[in-house]
Amino acid sequence: MTREEVLEKVSKKREEFISWYHEFHQIPELGFEEKETTELICEKLTGMGIHPLRLDPTGVTAYVGPHDAYTVGLRADIDGLRVSEDTDLPFQSKHPGKMHACGHDGHITGLLGAASILKEMESELTVRVKLIFQPSEENTKGAKQIISQGILEDVDEVFGLHLFSDIKAGEISVEPGARMAQTDRFTITFIGKGGHAAKPHQCVDATVMAADFVMNVQTIVARELDPIEGAVVTVGSLKSGTQYNIISGKAVLEGTCRSYSEDVAQHLQDAIRRRAEAVADSYGGNVKIAYEQGSHPPVLNDVALSRRIADEAEQLLENRKLVHIAPLMLGEDFSWYQKEVPGVFAFVGCGTPGRKCYPNHHPKFEVEESALSDGVLLHLAAVVSAMHREKEE
């Protein structure tokens, strides 16, 4: 597998990749509902001479390369979002209220593209490649679901990527260490005593408790964490009261904590509980706390593996630019794979140079189609780097 051979094959298949991307863009499906997507992936793999294995309830895995060899897992997520598309694309979503607004259609395309090249060059592979088309990333349940089915039992290292409109097509990021955050969710219910707005002395105002809590938690990051540690505490929803002249007896807040280490995540949970209980006690009210920690852990790229893949990507992706992206407070359940085996998660720029680019999850989100081939090449770089590892050993 010389660099020239790989580049030539990817170049020849560029229009085919774009055609696949258009097909998948039109059929977005929500997590664990990706039946049509699963069938189309199986159809494409079968057409390449690759035997697909369906996962439960949706998703696909397959192998390319020699049996009983060092195995590289390549992962793509396949679900869409509950977003109504607002683009002018001629291949818009056919499913009302659903859209591939995060780029997972491009992820599917990138992995299928890599699979097609790998199958054509299978006789030259010295490692086995396990293709993983994962369902239900957006609700953070898919990775754990398929890992529980043994998806990683024969995998030695794993690689994944994400199309990212914050950087332009032609820019790639493959970096070690913390890349994305652990995302936690909390619901705080303050219970007071309602009554007439003119008689506050007879009441315990749940709205005031909630307001105090919202302001109070803003100092957790500023005053309880090492300034070097990154973290976010956000209250995104506050519902209290029914009418302007009635003091509320119940207030419900929902929010999220995000951080780059499990130790910090635990500290945030403890601080949220401590402050909610203190606020309720100070006003003579009560509080109920529901805290869901770690729908997934932080994405932490293996240092040695990141450097190995980045070096190969720099060689293979010719004129593309390796760029630095600061760690993101966004979440990604690829992190569950990294808890099991060494793994790297990379970013592929898909913004169009010279025009306004909408962020992932936006109804107007679009993928610059040249980025599809970049995704293919980055998957291939991960495989080639593993082959070079084998030679070194």
Side-chain angles (χ1 to χ4, degrees), residues 177-350:
R179 295 290 89 209
M180 301 180 81
Q182 174 167 326
T183 59
D184 302 337
R185 179 176 178 177
F186 59 82
T187 302
I188 310 293
T189 304
F190 287 105
I191 302 168
K193 180 181 177 183
H196 200 288
K199 299 181 178 181
H201 59 289
Q202 297 177 354
C203 307
V204 177
D205 194 332
T207 300
V208 172
M209 285 192 283
D212 192 338
F213 174 79
V214 171
M215 298 305 296
N216 195 305
V217 296
Q218 301 309 308
T219 62
I220 293 175
V221 174
R223 287 295 175 266
E224 291 195 31
L225 297 184
D226 185 327
I228 296 173
E229 297 282 1
V232 165
V233 177
T234 295
V235 176
S237 172
L238 194 169
K239 298 175 183 177
S240 185
T242 58
Q243 190 169 304
Y244 78 99
N245 60 350
I246 299 175
I247 288 176
S248 173
K250 180 180 178 181
V252 180
L253 306 94
E254 294 181 300
T256 182
C257 294
R258 300 179 178 229
S259 55
Y260 297 121
S261 82
E262 294 180 72
D263 288 343
V264 171
Q266 184 61 53
H267 185 103
L268 294 174
Q269 178 180 2
D270 294 343
I272 291 288
R273 290 183 178 278
R274 175 168 29 89
R275 293 187 182 215
E277 290 168 355
V279 166
D281 183 65
S282 69
Y283 288 97
N286 295 297
V287 65
K288 295 180 180 179
I289 304 168
Y291 200 101
E292 180 186 349
Q293 189 184 64
S295 52
H296 51 71
V299 171
L300 300 173
N301 282 353
D302 181 271
V303 174
L305 187 55
S306 297
R307 289 171 179 162
R308 199 184 81 205
I309 293 175
D311 288 346
E312 194 61 50
E314 197 165 25
Q315 295 296 315
L316 190 60
L317 275 77
E318 286 190 317
N319 300 320
R320 280 68 163 188
K321 181 181 179 183
L322 285 174
V323 300
H324 168 68
I325 296 178
L328 302 168
M329 282 296 172
L330 306 173
E332 170 50 75
D333 74 357
F334 182 83
S335 55
W336 286 118
Y337 298 87
Q338 295 174 312
K339 296 286 283 186
E340 303 294 325
V341 298
V344 171
F345 193 72
F347 293 94
V348 177
C350 68

Side-chain angles (χ1 to χ4, degrees), residues 81-92:
L81 286 161
R82 198 181 296 279
V83 171
S84 295
E85 183 163 357
D86 185 23
T87 68
D88 296 322
L89 298 174
F91 50 92
Q92 289 190 41

